[in-house]
Amino acid sequence: MRAWPSPDVPGLTETGPPVALHDTPTGGLVTTEPDGPARLYVCGITPYDATHMGHAATYVAFDLLNRAWRNAGHEVSYVQNVTDVDDPLLERAERVHVDWRELAERETELFRQDMAALRVLAPDNYIGAVESIPLVVTLIERLQAAGSVYKVEDDLYFSVTADPAFGAESGLTRDRMLEIYPERGGDPDRPGKKDPLDCVVWRGPRDGEPSWDSPFGPGRPGWHIECTAIAQEYLGATFDVQAGGSDLVFPHHEMCAGHAHVADPTARFAKVYAHAGMVAYDGEKMSKSLGNLVFVSALRNSDVDPMAIRLALLRHHYRSDWEWLDADLWDAVDTLASWRRALSLGSGAPAAPVVTEVLAAMAADLDAPRAVAAVQAWVDATLGATGHLADNSDPDAALTMHSLLDAALGLAL
Ligand code: 5CA
Ligand code: ZN
């Protein structure tokens, strides 16, 4: 699939430190050590509604990882999927009487525009579920050869017990998994399953649903196998990071790891599983199913500067759960105005220490609030906003800060 136009990233003269990232399975910081290009898989949207602030926060978070790696001197190979056929998409299409393909294409296009406006670097491979059906079929055949697939009526299920490491990605107890599973697309109570946690890898044909031919009969891919197959194809059996929001820890990323380990027991799949916190609105997780949404496109249509949206997101650490407040957006608009004022002076407070501090903050588990604070301190010193005389001792400060803001934080001012 076509991605969106990727913004240019200015080069910096200083190289950032190695990038450390919080890893969900171990619960600690892991210093990433890319072997060749840094390889990143970020789970993409299910395109049945417009991009909300929760999605935007998650994609901006891992865009910061992409940028931190580049600033540390790595090339980055970035893959993202689009779940362009799945239950929620088909249900919405039926409810609004729109062809599911049309709905998926329309919302994917809106997402592209939102990502481009927010200056999120585009993936090198942007891959839809529909176009990866041959990859899914091959992977299911490998799971079958490993004896981990069985039939329930026309559907094929994956046996989670086939992966001895099942449960290690999320670290959840079985009771907790059983509790969460039905809330996130699972069907623990379906009769005929060997284990309530087993997941669908191939869903047989249903009336009114699209299906594709396969050696297992007509049907469509399960959700988890989609990301496993795409990641393996475009990044290899072992890669650096699989990322998404924390609602993907279980079952999605657990099942991906399970499929990958069984298909190739020597494969590690992701070395690090990274998860962004959930953004709430009106007191609850912002979600398409609840409908408590603030859309990126709606703000863009009312002429809000996308850089202010991005700054409002950057003011929260990506791992925290937080609530979107409209007032924070207007605050970000005002902040950007003062940053632009400081940058317009040309000279300013010494920028070199800010470069070091911002690169260090971003390499330390993408600490954007710390980076924003360092920039704010530079702006205050440059504008004399702290009751002290303005410091304009660095003649190239604005030039350096422009590049830094863009390269590290994705803020082109
Ligand atoms: N297509 C699958 C992933 S393969 C999917 O989860 N799609 S999605 O459209 O529902 O979500 C896209 C991304 O946004 C996921 O990483 C999800 O974890 C994240 N996300 C969804 N809601 C929120 C929220 N309220 N706050 C933060 N991130 C969110
Ligand atoms: Zn995914």
Side-chain angles (χ1 to χ4, degrees):
M1 235 185 214
R2 176 175 55 82
W4 55 93
S6 209
D8 290 331
V9 184
L12 298 175
T13 44
E14 184 172 333
T15 304
V19 181
L21 200 61
H22 183 270
D23 175 44
T24 298
T26 54
L29 280 190
V30 172
T31 301
T32 57
E33 290 170 339
D35 179 12
R39 283 170 288 183
L40 172 64
Y41 188 92
V42 178
C43 280
I45 54 163
T46 304
Y48 68 91
D49 208 340
T51 319
H52 60 59
M53 280 314 148
H55 302 132
T58 292
Y59 294 107
V60 165
F62 298 109
D63 182 58
L64 297 175
L65 172 61
N66 191 340
R67 289 167 184 274
W69 268 333
R70 287 162 188 258
N71 293 331
H74 300 291
E75 273 180 53
V76 180
S77 174
Y78 178 17
V79 178
Q80 190 179 126
N81 68 304
V82 184
T83 309
D84 59 0
V85 61
D86 200 10
D87 302 350
L89 170 71
L90 298 174
E91 285 159 17
R92 174 65 66 91
E94 195 181 330
R95 184 142 71 79
V96 298
H97 303 290
V98 173
D99 182 84
W100 62 275
R101 281 158 294 216
E102 214 178 285
L103 178 61
E105 181 40 42
R106 189 172 73 207
E107 298 304 343
T108 303
E109 181 52 27
L110 197 57
F111 176 73
R112 291 185 185 106
Q113 291 171 15
D114 290 337
M115 291 298 105
L118 293 173
R119 293 184 74 80
V120 172
L121 300 177
D124 304 292
N125 290 286
Y126 193 44
I127 309 293
V130 171
E131 65 185 335
S132 39
I133 287 172
L135 302 177
V136 168
V137 167
T138 305
L139 181 54
I140 294 174
E141 286 175 327
R142 284 166 64 199
L143 295 178
Q144 277 183 322
S148 66
V149 173
Y150 63 93
K151 243 181 140 166
V152 178
E153 295 168 82
D154 286 336
D155 303 336
L156 294 186
Y157 276 82
F158 169 72
S159 274
V160 294
T161 48
D163 174 18
F166 183 77
E169 184 272 334
S170 64
L172 296 177
T173 62
R174 194 178 155 83
D175 280 352
R176 188 74 189 118
M177 290 183 193
L178 284 167
E179 204 177 301
I180 299 177
Y181 199 37
E183 297 161 14
R184 302 200 183 148
D187 55 356
D189 300 326
R190 178 157 183 198
K193 284 175 68 172
K194 292 183 181 168
D195 185 310
L197 293 174
D198 291 346
C199 69
V200 176
V201 288
W202 189 256
R203 185 176 150 90
R206 306 285 198 279
D207 274 351
E209 286 188 6
S211 63
W212 288 264
D213 285 333
S214 82
F216 344 106
R220 59 180 167 94
W223 172 28
H224 316 302
I225 196 132
E226 164 197 345
C227 283
T228 317
I230 296 172
Q232 286 184 331
E233 174 73 10
Y234 293 94
L235 294 173
T238 301
F239 56 93
D240 294 284
V241 174
Q242 184 175 23
S246 60
D247 57 345
L248 300 188
V249 172
F250 187 85
H252 188 50
H253 290 170
E254 190 75 71
M255 297 296 181
C256 289
H259 294 336
H261 296 157
V262 172
D264 175 0
T266 63
R268 184 151 163 211
F269 205 58
K271 293 187 204 167
V272 169
Y273 293 86
H275 296 105
M278 287 292 114
V279 178
Y281 189 58
D282 284 343
E284 285 201 78
K285 173 190 161 185
M286 200 178 281
S287 79
K288 292 182 268 206
S289 45
L290 288 175
N292 56 336
L293 304 167
V294 178
F295 293 121
V296 176
S297 45
L299 293 179
R300 288 198 291 112
N301 287 339
S302 47
D303 290 327
V304 173
D305 178 358
M307 293 297 95
I309 303 174
R310 188 161 171 129
L311 177 59
L313 299 174
L314 293 176
R315 282 178 155 170
H316 299 271
H317 192 276
Y318 82 96
R319 281 205 288 124
S320 61
D321 296 326
W322 54 280
E323 176 147 3
W324 175 265
L325 299 174
D326 298 332
D328 292 346
L329 178 62
W330 308 126
D331 200 58
V333 169
D334 292 344
T335 300
L336 276 193
S338 77
W339 288 16
R340 287 191 168 110
R341 221 165 34 246
L343 290 166
S344 70
L345 300 177
S347 60
V354 191
V355 174
T356 306
E357 168 63 4
V358 166
L359 293 181
M362 299 317 290
D365 200 25
L366 315 176
D367 194 344
R370 180 179 146 196
V372 167
V375 174
Q376 188 63 55
W378 176 86
V379 169
D380 290 345
T382 298
L383 295 177
T386 53
H388 295 93
L389 279 184
D391 177 356
N392 66 353
S393 58
D394 179 351
D396 298 323
L399 218 59
T400 308
M401 289 300 292
H402 264 295
S403 301
L404 175 67
L405 285 165
D406 194 353
L409 300 178
L411 291 171
L413 302 185

